[in-house]
Amino acid sequence: MKPNINPILPGFNPDPSIVRVGDDYYIAVSTFEWYPGVQIFHSNDLVNWTLAHRPLNRKDLLDMTGVPDSCGVWAPCLSYDNGMFYLVYSNVKRFDGNFKDTPNYLTCCETIDGEWSKPIYMNSSGFDASLFHDEDGRKWFLNMVWDHRPDRTFFGGTLLQEYCEKTEKLIGKPKNIFAGSEIGFTEGPHLYKKSGYYYLLTAEGGTGYNHACTMARSKSIDGPYEVDPQGPIVSSKDDLHHGLQRNGHGGLVETPDGKWYLTHLTSRPLDLNQPVEKRRSPLGRESAIEEVTFTEDGWFRLVTGDKLAQLNPPSLTATPQRDFSFRDNFDGGSISNNFQWLRTPTPETFYRLEPQSAELIITGKHSVGSTFEQALIATRQRYFSFSAETELVFNPDNFQQQAGLICYYNAHKFHYAYMSFDEELGLHLDVMSCEGDESLTAKFPIFDKRIPLISSRVFLRAEVNYGSLIFKYSLDGTAWLALCELDYSIISDEAGKGEGANFTGAFVGMCCQDMTGSDISAEFNYFDYQEHHCE
């Protein structure tokens, strides 16, 4: 059976910013605390996308050491003008409370996969910044403004300010050009120009189940802007059983033959029959695409005539390739680009490859969930059912030393099968879980008996099927025994702390901790991620 076109970027790939250069399309998505920052995908058919680059890959461009969960890089904007790519991005430093610290930056490069320029600091007044290149050569910087005052709504409207490329500074005074529609929570502004109008596309309703893309227009770039009288261009807020939920935060692109498409954030909960407050979405916020038309009265609308996203937009005919299985034997010069790590621009402090012996060596650092030095390398979950497997060699001599296979959302939400040492039991396997508790309390152990080991070598496997996780182990890589079955649904946006105020997605990977500070290392001999598609 042919897989669905949407989402075009399954798994944690939110806030798509799309641009066309000739016959090539590029989408930039948010990465939050995961390093390197910003994923840029390439396509020629708008259906199948391959990772082209992660441009924020060095310290001067991005250092997120210490930033809280779900902070870091929010909603990048990718644009192109006169032979140059432009990328606007944030490095958000604070989430909880009334305040947000949101420094915004601009970097440029002539090629997507080249070395991007030293970042230019723009402002810190809000997040979801973007850059608009007008026909007269002037450039304009937009961002939502965060209003921390207790008698305000936090979402204070859309600021517009001119950017001078010669001086590399914002010039003139910023102007608040759009307060938003009655939906509220107005963010994610992007400007477009067509037929004498400036079109302002924003995300509204929050990134949960009331999310929407709202369009407004004006003859003047600084307003006033009128809202589309028919309401959001795309939203599922009025149909909570639709297959694609939380639709919003989008970007527009025009094809060479004059068609228009809207990319937007979407999500697929495990069980649409559950009430919203009980839903879980391990795949996080994904990216989808719709064809839009330009109406006679000058508005962009979905070609279907309604506001609901489509699993298979009729105008896109390419066959989607949706199996992201891979195996890395660690015998090359670098790890697979399927992997990322947390926060740090200096991963060489905690991992190295030994290609001759085909080993990934991870040096133990802080505890699971640390926002400073965490030795964890993981890949996104891209489908509801998958297995992940690795071979571990580890010789701990202290209970504060651990290494193993982890299903990880953030510091508050993970399941971890690991090898450690106990003064009485010696070398053993155990499992810990943190199920969204703000105190970071992990359960030790979650089954009746730890598994003693006579060898420092063990094979570990995670088998995930929608909301179920089974950890298994093997001593020879052939005969597998079950460790335990767990509730995998906690590895999701909505579970636990924040109840929807988490913005990433599920990862599975390898990690090592040495809380003694002795920097003990663990050897991983391969990592295998296989999706089990039933479509």
Side-chain angles (χ1 to χ4, degrees), residues 33 67-71 95-96 342-343 367-371 374 376 406-415 432-443 487 489-499 501-504:
E33 66 263 34
V67 305
D69 290 332
S70 288
C71 287
F95 181 80
D96 292 329
L342 289 165
R343 297 179 174 85
S367 61
V368 178
S370 168
T371 60
Q374 187 169 176
L376 185 154
I406 191 165
C407 294
Y408 184 89
Y409 185 95
N410 62 18
H412 305 274
K413 294 180 276 195
F414 59 82
H415 293 306
M432 74 171 81
S433 293
C434 193
E435 300 182 354
D437 188 341
E438 289 192 46
S439 67
L440 306 188
T441 300
K443 296 180 178 180
D487 178 8
S489 71
I490 70 159
I491 314 295
S492 64
D493 293 354
E494 302 98 329
K497 180 180 182 289
E499 295 182 355
N502 299 151
F503 306 134
T504 56

Side-chain angles (χ1 to χ4, degrees), residues 7 13-18 27-30 75 128 183-190 192 201-215 232-238 242 244-252 262-268 284-290 302 307-310:
N13 286 297
D15 310 321
S17 172
I18 189 168
I27 287 179
V29 296
S30 301
D128 291 2
I183 298 174
F185 299 94
T186 306
E187 54 189 337
H190 291 269
Y192 306 89
L201 178 65
T202 62
E204 293 197 302
T207 195
Y209 289 88
N210 288 319
H211 210 196
C213 283
T214 296
M215 185 75 75
I233 187 172
V234 65
S235 180
S236 58
K237 66 185 182 66
D238 297 322
H242 185 62
L244 297 172
Q245 290 290 307
R246 299 198 283 175
N247 298 300
H249 200 120
L252 285 168
L262 171 76
T263 55
H264 62 88
L265 181 158
T266 192
S267 181
R268 293 175 293 168
R285 301 177 310 150
E286 308 172 283
S287 285
I289 192 167
E290 316 293 334
L302 299 189
K307 304 179 191 308
L308 290 177
Q310 300 296 303

Side-chain angles (χ1 to χ4, degrees), residues 129-146:
S130 66
L131 188 67
F132 172 67
H133 311 273
D134 209 344
E135 297 168 339
D136 60 4
R138 298 170 77 181
K139 300 186 185 301
W140 298 89
F141 190 80
L142 300 96
N143 61 272
M144 67 81 66
V145 58
W146 183 261

